[in-house]
Amino acid sequence: MKLIVRADDFGIADSVTWGALRGFQEGIVTSSGVMTNMPSSEVACQQAKIHPEFCFGQDINIATGKCVAPKEKLPTMVNEEGYFRRSGIIREMIKKGEEPFPYDEVYLEVVAQVEKFISLVGRKPAYLNGHAFRSPNFSKALKDVADQYGLICMDEIVEKYDLENCGFKSSGKFAQGWYQLPFKNDTQLATDSEQFFIDHFDELLVRDVSYIICHPGYVSMDLMECSTLNLVRMKDLQMCISPKVRELIESHHVELISIKEFVEEYDK
């Protein structure tokens, strides 16, 4: 059995960058998506550049922080200072059946973020993923840009190989995962990611390939200011570097693989 462990939001804050990097070096993280539009993006891209042995894709972020494309070309996506609307507002629009973004604008921003990754890291991202939500135009732009640059589009891989039925989307408790909505401080502090993984590990073993997403990191003020998913990140880091989790994986002969390795082996 093979297991993909994806750590999202690399670069949303320095504290998350260093936590996710520790998850690679000492733990079970096999892949992580870099954000290129946040104040910490240059630090994250530098780490991705000096660690080509790790699988760094890209999280396209149009839910928090500033745009990378010229703000005057994104009149409906950002405010006068170039900041995106927060994900909660966008999700409410999507629930109502509204499309939050004109295709031309979101396509331009996706391209700009990919180009910034290439410029700072010196290579193309291993895969392309959208952060936080999907809308029809966002999904189309992700696919179109992935095709344009010859990149792995995570949405297509997840659908093609039924990966959404693995990990958090599997039957049983992993269907909801350990995150509780809304992200309140008390529920995040009460979360035990490590124990959840151990208690429900058997649900992952029923598949040839299972796939889970986590958010390891340390907690900092810049993280608290830009994301409501914050305190639980230290719990996810604990899970990723846990000797108990590592022993469980090794005792069941589970092979940890990256998204890039999965595609190279299965998508032929």
Side-chain angles (χ1 to χ4, degrees), residues 20-47:
L21 191 62
R22 188 179 178 192
F24 272 117
Q25 295 170 327
E26 302 177 29
I28 64 171
V29 172
T30 67
S31 308
S32 188
V34 181
M35 290 183 174
T36 59
N37 75 309
M38 301 297 288
S40 298
S41 292
E42 290 197 11
V43 171
C45 287
Q46 178 64 19
Q47 291 304 308

Side-chain angles (χ1 to χ4, degrees), residues 245-263:
V245 168
R246 171 67 74 173
E247 181 181 355
L248 189 63
I249 287 172
E250 292 178 352
S251 67
H252 286 79
H253 308 290
V254 172
E255 179 185 357
L256 291 167
I257 64 169
S258 69
I259 291 168
K260 182 179 179 181
E261 290 169 332
F262 171 79
V263 172

Side-chain angles (χ1 to χ4, degrees), residues 3 14 38 53 57-58 62 65 74 85 98 161 164 174 185 197 203 240 251 263:
L3 176 63
D14 283 354
M38 301 297 288
E53 70 273 24
Q58 184 166 10
I62 56 175
L74 310 176
R85 289 167 290 180
E98 301 174 13
Y161 293 100
E164 288 221 80
F174 258 110
N185 289 350
F197 186 100
E203 294 177 34
C240 287
S251 67
V263 172

